[in-house]
Short mmCIF file of all heavy atoms in Angstrom, two decimals:
data_model
loop_
_atom_site.label_atom_id
_atom_site.label_comp_id
_atom_site.label_asym_id
_atom_site.label_seq_id
_atom_site.Cartn_x
_atom_site.Cartn_y
_atom_site.Cartn_z
N LEU F 1 -5.99 14.28 -12.07
CA LEU F 1 -4.68 14.35 -12.71
C LEU F 1 -4.46 13.16 -13.64
O LEU F 1 -3.89 13.31 -14.73
CB LEU F 1 -3.59 14.40 -11.65
CG LEU F 1 -3.39 15.75 -10.94
CD1 LEU F 1 -2.42 15.62 -9.78
CD2 LEU F 1 -2.89 16.80 -11.94
N TYR F 2 -4.91 11.98 -13.21
CA TYR F 2 -4.79 10.80 -14.07
C TYR F 2 -5.55 11.01 -15.38
O TYR F 2 -5.07 10.66 -16.46
CB TYR F 2 -5.32 9.56 -13.36
CG TYR F 2 -4.24 8.72 -12.72
CD1 TYR F 2 -4.27 8.43 -11.36
CD2 TYR F 2 -3.20 8.20 -13.48
CE1 TYR F 2 -3.29 7.65 -10.77
CE2 TYR F 2 -2.21 7.42 -12.89
CZ TYR F 2 -2.25 7.15 -11.55
OH TYR F 2 -1.28 6.38 -10.98
N ARG F 3 -6.75 11.57 -15.27
CA ARG F 3 -7.56 11.80 -16.48
C ARG F 3 -6.90 12.82 -17.40
O ARG F 3 -6.90 12.66 -18.62
CB ARG F 3 -8.97 12.26 -16.09
CG ARG F 3 -9.83 11.18 -15.45
CD ARG F 3 -11.28 11.62 -15.42
NE ARG F 3 -11.49 12.86 -14.69
CZ ARG F 3 -11.78 12.92 -13.39
NH1 ARG F 3 -11.90 11.80 -12.70
NH2 ARG F 3 -11.96 14.08 -12.80
N LEU F 4 -6.34 13.88 -16.82
CA LEU F 4 -5.76 14.94 -17.63
C LEU F 4 -4.41 14.56 -18.23
O LEU F 4 -4.10 14.90 -19.38
CB LEU F 4 -5.60 16.21 -16.79
CG LEU F 4 -6.90 16.88 -16.31
CD1 LEU F 4 -6.58 18.03 -15.37
CD2 LEU F 4 -7.71 17.38 -17.50
N LEU F 5 -3.59 13.83 -17.47
CA LEU F 5 -2.24 13.52 -17.92
C LEU F 5 -2.18 12.30 -18.83
O LEU F 5 -1.31 12.20 -19.68
CB LEU F 5 -1.33 13.30 -16.70
CG LEU F 5 -1.04 14.54 -15.85
CD1 LEU F 5 -0.31 14.15 -14.58
CD2 LEU F 5 -0.23 15.56 -16.64
N GLY F 6 -3.09 11.35 -18.61
CA GLY F 6 -3.09 10.16 -19.45
C GLY F 6 -2.16 9.08 -18.92
O GLY F 6 -1.57 9.18 -17.83
N SER F 7 -2.00 8.04 -19.71
CA SER F 7 -1.27 6.83 -19.28
C SER F 7 0.24 7.00 -19.31
O SER F 7 0.97 6.12 -18.84
CB SER F 7 -1.66 5.65 -20.18
OG SER F 7 -1.36 5.94 -21.54
N ARG F 8 0.75 8.11 -19.84
CA ARG F 8 2.20 8.30 -19.89
C ARG F 8 2.79 8.69 -18.54
O ARG F 8 4.01 8.69 -18.36
CB ARG F 8 2.55 9.38 -20.91
CG ARG F 8 2.28 8.98 -22.35
CD ARG F 8 2.70 10.08 -23.30
NE ARG F 8 1.95 11.31 -23.03
CZ ARG F 8 2.46 12.52 -23.19
NH1 ARG F 8 3.71 12.67 -23.59
NH2 ARG F 8 1.73 13.60 -22.96
N TYR F 9 1.92 9.02 -17.58
CA TYR F 9 2.39 9.48 -16.27
C TYR F 9 1.77 8.65 -15.15
O TYR F 9 0.68 8.07 -15.31
CB TYR F 9 2.04 10.96 -16.06
CG TYR F 9 2.66 11.89 -17.07
CD1 TYR F 9 1.97 12.24 -18.24
CD2 TYR F 9 3.93 12.43 -16.87
CE1 TYR F 9 2.53 13.09 -19.17
CE2 TYR F 9 4.50 13.29 -17.80
CZ TYR F 9 3.80 13.61 -18.94
OH TYR F 9 4.36 14.46 -19.85
N LEU F 10 2.47 8.62 -14.03
CA LEU F 10 1.95 8.03 -12.80
C LEU F 10 1.73 9.14 -11.79
O LEU F 10 2.57 10.04 -11.64
CB LEU F 10 2.95 7.01 -12.22
CG LEU F 10 3.26 5.78 -13.07
CD1 LEU F 10 4.34 4.94 -12.37
CD2 LEU F 10 2.02 4.95 -13.31
N VAL F 11 0.58 9.09 -11.11
CA VAL F 11 0.27 10.05 -10.04
C VAL F 11 0.05 9.23 -8.77
O VAL F 11 -0.94 8.52 -8.64
CB VAL F 11 -0.98 10.88 -10.37
CG1 VAL F 11 -1.22 11.92 -9.28
CG2 VAL F 11 -0.85 11.55 -11.72
N ARG F 12 0.98 9.34 -7.83
CA ARG F 12 0.97 8.46 -6.66
C ARG F 12 0.91 9.26 -5.36
O ARG F 12 1.54 10.32 -5.26
CB ARG F 12 2.20 7.56 -6.66
CG ARG F 12 2.31 6.65 -7.87
CD ARG F 12 3.58 5.83 -7.83
NE ARG F 12 4.76 6.68 -7.92
CZ ARG F 12 6.02 6.22 -7.82
NH1 ARG F 12 6.23 4.94 -7.62
NH2 ARG F 12 7.04 7.06 -7.92
N ASP F 13 0.16 8.73 -4.39
CA ASP F 13 0.17 9.33 -3.05
C ASP F 13 1.33 8.73 -2.25
O ASP F 13 2.12 7.95 -2.76
CB ASP F 13 -1.18 9.13 -2.36
CG ASP F 13 -1.54 7.66 -2.21
OD1 ASP F 13 -0.64 6.80 -2.30
OD2 ASP F 13 -2.72 7.35 -1.98
N ARG F 14 1.41 9.08 -0.97
CA ARG F 14 2.56 8.63 -0.16
C ARG F 14 2.59 7.11 -0.01
O ARG F 14 3.67 6.51 -0.06
CB ARG F 14 2.50 9.29 1.23
CG ARG F 14 2.89 10.76 1.20
CD ARG F 14 3.11 11.31 2.59
NE ARG F 14 3.50 12.71 2.53
CZ ARG F 14 2.84 13.70 3.10
NH1 ARG F 14 1.74 13.46 3.78
NH2 ARG F 14 3.26 14.94 3.00
N ASN F 15 1.43 6.51 0.20
CA ASN F 15 1.40 5.05 0.35
C ASN F 15 1.85 4.36 -0.93
O ASN F 15 2.54 3.33 -0.88
CB ASN F 15 -0.01 4.59 0.73
CG ASN F 15 -0.35 4.92 2.16
OD1 ASN F 15 0.50 5.38 2.92
ND2 ASN F 15 -1.59 4.70 2.54
N GLU F 16 1.48 4.91 -2.06
CA GLU F 16 1.86 4.30 -3.34
C GLU F 16 3.33 4.55 -3.65
O GLU F 16 3.97 3.73 -4.32
CB GLU F 16 0.98 4.85 -4.45
CG GLU F 16 -0.48 4.38 -4.34
CD GLU F 16 -1.41 5.15 -5.26
OE1 GLU F 16 -1.04 6.27 -5.69
OE2 GLU F 16 -2.50 4.64 -5.54
N GLN F 17 3.87 5.66 -3.17
CA GLN F 17 5.30 5.92 -3.36
C GLN F 17 6.15 4.93 -2.57
O GLN F 17 7.26 4.58 -2.98
CB GLN F 17 5.63 7.35 -2.93
CG GLN F 17 5.01 8.42 -3.81
CD GLN F 17 5.06 9.79 -3.16
OE1 GLN F 17 6.07 10.17 -2.55
NE2 GLN F 17 3.99 10.55 -3.26
N GLN F 18 5.63 4.48 -1.44
CA GLN F 18 6.32 3.48 -0.60
C GLN F 18 5.49 2.19 -0.57
O GLN F 18 5.26 1.60 0.48
CB GLN F 18 6.50 4.03 0.82
CG GLN F 18 7.27 5.32 0.90
CD GLN F 18 8.75 5.13 0.64
OE1 GLN F 18 9.26 4.01 0.71
NE2 GLN F 18 9.46 6.21 0.36
N GLN F 19 5.04 1.76 -1.74
CA GLN F 19 4.09 0.65 -1.84
C GLN F 19 4.63 -0.64 -1.23
O GLN F 19 3.93 -1.32 -0.46
CB GLN F 19 3.71 0.42 -3.30
CG GLN F 19 2.58 -0.57 -3.50
CD GLN F 19 2.15 -0.64 -4.94
OE1 GLN F 19 2.80 -0.08 -5.82
NE2 GLN F 19 1.06 -1.32 -5.20
N ASP F 20 5.86 -0.99 -1.55
CA ASP F 20 6.43 -2.24 -1.03
C ASP F 20 6.55 -2.20 0.48
O ASP F 20 6.29 -3.20 1.16
CB ASP F 20 7.80 -2.48 -1.66
CG ASP F 20 7.72 -2.75 -3.15
OD1 ASP F 20 6.63 -3.16 -3.61
OD2 ASP F 20 8.72 -2.53 -3.86
N TYR F 21 6.94 -1.05 1.00
CA TYR F 21 7.13 -0.90 2.45
C TYR F 21 5.81 -1.10 3.19
O TYR F 21 5.73 -1.86 4.15
CB TYR F 21 7.71 0.49 2.72
CG TYR F 21 8.26 0.67 4.11
CD1 TYR F 21 9.48 0.12 4.48
CD2 TYR F 21 7.55 1.39 5.07
CE1 TYR F 21 9.98 0.29 5.75
CE2 TYR F 21 8.04 1.57 6.34
CZ TYR F 21 9.26 1.01 6.68
OH TYR F 21 9.74 1.16 7.95
N PHE F 22 4.76 -0.41 2.73
CA PHE F 22 3.47 -0.52 3.41
C PHE F 22 2.83 -1.89 3.17
O PHE F 22 2.06 -2.37 4.00
CB PHE F 22 2.54 0.59 2.94
CG PHE F 22 2.84 1.93 3.56
CD1 PHE F 22 3.47 2.93 2.84
CD2 PHE F 22 2.51 2.18 4.88
CE1 PHE F 22 3.75 4.15 3.41
CE2 PHE F 22 2.79 3.40 5.47
CZ PHE F 22 3.41 4.39 4.74
N LYS F 23 3.13 -2.52 2.05
CA LYS F 23 2.60 -3.86 1.80
C LYS F 23 3.16 -4.85 2.81
O LYS F 23 2.44 -5.72 3.32
CB LYS F 23 2.95 -4.30 0.38
CG LYS F 23 2.31 -5.62 -0.03
CD LYS F 23 2.70 -6.00 -1.45
CE LYS F 23 2.11 -5.03 -2.44
NZ LYS F 23 2.40 -5.43 -3.85
N ILE F 24 4.45 -4.73 3.13
CA ILE F 24 5.06 -5.60 4.14
C ILE F 24 4.41 -5.38 5.50
O ILE F 24 4.11 -6.34 6.22
CB ILE F 24 6.58 -5.34 4.20
CG1 ILE F 24 7.25 -5.80 2.91
CG2 ILE F 24 7.20 -6.05 5.40
CD1 ILE F 24 8.71 -5.43 2.81
N ILE F 25 4.16 -4.12 5.85
CA ILE F 25 3.53 -3.82 7.13
C ILE F 25 2.13 -4.43 7.19
O ILE F 25 1.72 -5.01 8.20
CB ILE F 25 3.48 -2.30 7.36
CG1 ILE F 25 4.89 -1.74 7.54
CG2 ILE F 25 2.62 -1.97 8.58
CD1 ILE F 25 4.93 -0.25 7.72
N LYS F 26 1.36 -4.32 6.09
CA LYS F 26 0.01 -4.88 6.07
C LYS F 26 0.03 -6.39 6.22
O LYS F 26 -0.81 -6.98 6.92
CB LYS F 26 -0.69 -4.49 4.77
CG LYS F 26 -1.10 -3.03 4.71
CD LYS F 26 -1.80 -2.71 3.40
CE LYS F 26 -2.20 -1.23 3.34
NZ LYS F 26 -2.86 -0.89 2.05
N ILE F 27 1.00 -7.05 5.56
CA ILE F 27 1.12 -8.51 5.67
C ILE F 27 1.46 -8.90 7.10
O ILE F 27 0.87 -9.84 7.65
CB ILE F 27 2.18 -9.03 4.68
CG1 ILE F 27 1.68 -8.83 3.24
CG2 ILE F 27 2.47 -10.50 4.94
CD1 ILE F 27 2.71 -9.17 2.19
N GLU F 28 2.41 -8.20 7.71
CA GLU F 28 2.76 -8.49 9.10
C GLU F 28 1.57 -8.28 10.02
O GLU F 28 1.31 -9.09 10.93
CB GLU F 28 3.92 -7.60 9.53
CG GLU F 28 5.25 -7.92 8.85
CD GLU F 28 6.35 -6.98 9.29
OE1 GLU F 28 6.03 -5.95 9.91
OE2 GLU F 28 7.53 -7.28 9.01
N ARG F 29 0.84 -7.22 9.78
CA ARG F 29 -0.34 -6.92 10.61
C ARG F 29 -1.39 -8.02 10.47
O ARG F 29 -2.00 -8.45 11.44
CB ARG F 29 -0.93 -5.57 10.21
CG ARG F 29 -2.09 -5.08 11.03
CD ARG F 29 -2.50 -3.69 10.55
NE ARG F 29 -3.58 -3.15 11.33
CZ ARG F 29 -4.86 -3.35 11.07
NH1 ARG F 29 -5.22 -4.10 10.05
NH2 ARG F 29 -5.79 -2.80 11.83
N MET F 30 -1.59 -8.49 9.24
CA MET F 30 -2.57 -9.54 9.00
C MET F 30 -2.16 -10.85 9.68
O MET F 30 -2.99 -11.54 10.27
CB MET F 30 -2.74 -9.76 7.49
CG MET F 30 -3.84 -10.74 7.11
SD MET F 30 -3.95 -10.94 5.32
CE MET F 30 -4.26 -9.22 4.83
N ILE F 31 -0.86 -11.18 9.59
CA ILE F 31 -0.37 -12.42 10.21
C ILE F 31 -0.57 -12.37 11.71
O ILE F 31 -1.06 -13.33 12.33
CB ILE F 31 1.11 -12.64 9.85
CG1 ILE F 31 1.24 -12.96 8.35
CG2 ILE F 31 1.70 -13.78 10.68
CD1 ILE F 31 2.67 -13.04 7.87
N VAL F 32 -0.19 -11.25 12.32
CA VAL F 32 -0.37 -11.11 13.78
C VAL F 32 -1.84 -11.16 14.15
O VAL F 32 -2.23 -11.79 15.15
CB VAL F 32 0.27 -9.79 14.26
CG1 VAL F 32 -0.06 -9.54 15.73
CG2 VAL F 32 1.78 -9.84 14.07
N PHE F 33 -2.70 -10.54 13.34
CA PHE F 33 -4.14 -10.54 13.61
C PHE F 33 -4.69 -11.96 13.58
O PHE F 33 -5.47 -12.36 14.45
CB PHE F 33 -4.85 -9.68 12.57
CG PHE F 33 -6.31 -9.43 12.85
CD1 PHE F 33 -6.71 -8.41 13.71
CD2 PHE F 33 -7.29 -10.22 12.28
CE1 PHE F 33 -8.05 -8.19 13.97
CE2 PHE F 33 -8.64 -10.01 12.54
CZ PHE F 33 -9.01 -8.99 13.39
N VAL F 34 -4.26 -12.75 12.60
CA VAL F 34 -4.73 -14.15 12.49
C VAL F 34 -4.24 -14.97 13.67
O VAL F 34 -4.99 -15.78 14.23
CB VAL F 34 -4.26 -14.75 11.15
CG1 VAL F 34 -4.55 -16.25 11.12
CG2 VAL F 34 -4.95 -14.07 9.98
N ILE F 35 -2.96 -14.78 14.06
CA ILE F 35 -2.42 -15.53 15.20
C ILE F 35 -3.21 -15.22 16.47
O ILE F 35 -3.57 -16.13 17.24
CB ILE F 35 -0.93 -15.21 15.39
CG1 ILE F 35 -0.12 -15.78 14.21
CG2 ILE F 35 -0.41 -15.79 16.70
CD1 ILE F 35 1.33 -15.37 14.22
N LEU F 36 -3.49 -13.94 16.69
CA LEU F 36 -4.26 -13.57 17.88
C LEU F 36 -5.70 -14.06 17.79
O LEU F 36 -6.32 -14.36 18.82
CB LEU F 36 -4.22 -12.06 18.07
CG LEU F 36 -2.86 -11.49 18.49
CD1 LEU F 36 -2.90 -9.98 18.54
CD2 LEU F 36 -2.45 -12.03 19.86
N LEU F 37 -6.26 -14.16 16.58
CA LEU F 37 -7.60 -14.72 16.44
C LEU F 37 -7.63 -16.18 16.86
O LEU F 37 -8.62 -16.66 17.42
CB LEU F 37 -8.08 -14.58 15.00
CG LEU F 37 -8.75 -13.26 14.62
CD1 LEU F 37 -9.26 -13.32 13.18
CD2 LEU F 37 -9.89 -12.92 15.56
N PHE F 38 -6.54 -16.90 16.59
CA PHE F 38 -6.46 -18.29 17.07
C PHE F 38 -6.48 -18.33 18.59
O PHE F 38 -7.10 -19.23 19.18
CB PHE F 38 -5.19 -18.96 16.54
CG PHE F 38 -5.34 -19.54 15.17
CD1 PHE F 38 -4.68 -18.99 14.09
CD2 PHE F 38 -6.16 -20.64 14.95
CE1 PHE F 38 -4.82 -19.52 12.82
CE2 PHE F 38 -6.32 -21.17 13.68
CZ PHE F 38 -5.65 -20.62 12.61
N MET F 39 -5.81 -17.36 19.23
CA MET F 39 -5.86 -17.28 20.69
C MET F 39 -7.29 -17.02 21.16
O MET F 39 -7.75 -17.62 22.14
CB MET F 39 -4.93 -16.17 21.19
CG MET F 39 -3.46 -16.44 20.97
SD MET F 39 -2.43 -15.04 21.47
CE MET F 39 -2.96 -14.82 23.16
#
């Protein structure tokens, strides 16, 4: 779809539609993972 529609359009999946939300979750997950690695 990106190839056919060109740069005038965005084609996003669910994660990309809620990009900020999932980015926060990934950051929280990474922080907790690092803290537990210290343990």
